[in-house]
Amino acid sequence: MSQMIRVTLPDGSAREVVRGTTAAQIAADIGPGLAKAALAAKIDGELRDIMRPLEEDTNLSLVTSRDEADALELFRHDYAHVLAEAVQKLFPGTQITFGPSTGDGFYYDFAPTAEHGPFRDDELPLIEEEMRKIIAADLPLTREVWERDKLIAKWQAEGETFKAEWAAELPQGEELTVYRSGEGWMDMCRGPHLASTGKLDPAAFKLTRVSGAYWRGDQKNAQLSRIYGTGWLNKKQLNEHLVRLEEAAKRDHRKIGREMDLFHLQEEAHGSVFWHPKGYRIYRELEAYMRRAIDGSGYQEVKTPQVMDARQWEQSGHWGKYRANMFVIPDEVPNIEDEGPIVSDDAEWMALKPMNCPAHVLIFRQGMKSYRDLPLRMAEMGCCHRNEPHGALHGIMRVRQFTQDDGHIFCREDQIVEEVRDFCALLDRVYKQLGFEKYAVKLALRPDMRFGTEEMWDKAEAELREAVERAGMANDDYGWEELPGEGAFYAPKLEFHLTDAIGRTWQCGTIQSDRVMPERLDASYIGEDGERHRPVMLHRAILGTYERFIGILIEHFAGRFPTWLAPVQAVVATIVSDADAYARDAVAQLTAAGIRAESDVRNEKINYKVREHSLAKVPYLLVVGNREAEEGTVAIRTLGQDGQRIMPLAEAIAMLKGEATPPDLRS
């Protein structure tokens, strides 16, 4: 075997180096500045340790802090390892489990000793200080390959039962690697990592909270302590993030939901929303807007059953791949006697639907369909249930019962690209009318576990790619990106990620090109040749779910909804009781004009009323006293603005009517 290998750099130049040379050595040969800045290497596109020897001809690019996504991934992974090392130094006997990076930081799950019990938030400053000591020590992070049996034996000997279990379950033949910090502490990890702990900025991380977790996310397993942190490349980024967190806390939809009396959640219905009148008004306005959007785009709305036989879910493929997230129901009368099981062993099983698509195929199959009937666009405001773990629930953002703005387009092969392009145009209009000017488009490609042939996936991915190009969205303005391995098990999909007012992203819309389900559920149409053909099924949603999207809207607008969505659009507040009758008449006129208005004739000072309705995020406050009653005017205060304007009531009603009109109905 030759002792020399060829390394090709991004500029096309190539170097002949000795086999076993590291990327760090190549960076040093190029120049001292690059040697200092280089954090890791990309070998044929794969991120690797900069100190890992090169063994064959390769394409090499060096990762620096300018490659922010890769650099942040490395830093956060290393912060997690330093966290684990610090905890084990401070609290001997604590077992380590998993510690991944996250979208804005990292976490690590620990099994504390019985004597110590779960970790507490007040212990985080102590752990942070120990982490800074480890970073200051600038300990080398070195990769080692271990034999399976030896590694399992080591973990067992050291009382690391979780690591031993994990190592034992990794596939035979898979290389087991550990990373050692200095000469001692180590963790099992695929990597990559920075060259040493000193590459981290000790002022660019913060531990944020402690929560409970279960080993492998299963409530039947041991309970662990999860320590969360946020990690960045430098202190400036950390401070900017902490400011965003502070702003996000102010905008928390749960907090604003309570203040505005929009909804509540309680244990008697885990993961289901109790909508209050004001919250449900927002829901209804959004639903009405979406109905107008889909009606105008040629969709036919349907309604399908909540419960279907398990055999239907088996045929669709969901029973085998999705059953853990489904609520199953016995199809028999339950035992009502005191003794004996509630459900017999002979019970047939049904399930609450976690999604609407199989039922839409059953509607499509009713009656013979011709190629002339396609595309057939079917929509449903479909209530679904998914058995999410209690610990994963989050306000109305992640729930168990939700309603999707769901739709399925059954079309011919030659119609796919145009239908997807039209959907992109519809989604663009909806997002912008709802106040989201910026969003990213991403193509999620085939996962490892999937149905269908490679040819089928090639074709489906190419069609979605072409549709985005035709829609003019396959560019940096729309954050165009392809995501290998992130498609659904039955289809690739386009994802649409909104950016909210404080820069956070939310994946909401999606469209998926599916040839598998029509085959599995035997959907067909008669083609121009008189033969049966399979339609392609496009699964699409714009909002995703109403619950989550309303949560996003609450946080995006910080509760200050555009007037057309606000549950109460105007309040007429009196200064003196002599104006009560005028206030009530003004409310009647506002209501007649289609404006959601209320009166406030309480015996309170006007400053108190102004403050209270501002906290309730009412867009317009119309203040009236004796003078306004005599002149037929109102003093208008606009939420978020200083001062007031005096205008005739009729003029104010006309102005508010324009503001209260949904954007799609404005001329």
Side-chain angles (χ1 to χ4, degrees), residues 588-601:
Q589 292 186 52
L590 287 161
T591 302
I595 299 161
R596 296 186 289 277
E598 297 176 352
S599 63
D600 185 349
V601 296

Side-chain angles (χ1 to χ4, degrees), residues 239-256:
N239 289 339
E240 290 172 348
H241 175 70
L242 295 177
V243 169
R244 287 194 297 270
L245 286 182
E246 184 179 348
E247 182 61 30
K250 295 176 185 175
R251 294 169 177 261
D252 190 308
H253 71 282
R254 296 164 297 184
K255 172 179 175 288
I256 294 175

Side-chain angles (χ1 to χ4, degrees), residues 26-53:
I26 294 175
D29 288 342
I30 294 173
L34 182 58
K36 184 178 179 180
L39 301 171
K42 276 198 169 177
I43 309 299
D44 295 327
E46 178 188 352
L47 196 62
R48 286 192 185 178
D49 307 324
I50 199 166
M51 302 302 293
R52 188 168 168 183

Side-chain angles (χ1 to χ4, degrees), residues 71-79 194 199-200 232-233:
L72 280 171
E73 178 76 17
L74 284 163
F75 270 54
R76 288 165 179 167
H77 196 175
D78 280 25
Y79 280 127
L194 298 168
K199 294 288 186 181
L200 296 169
W232 300 85
L233 302 181

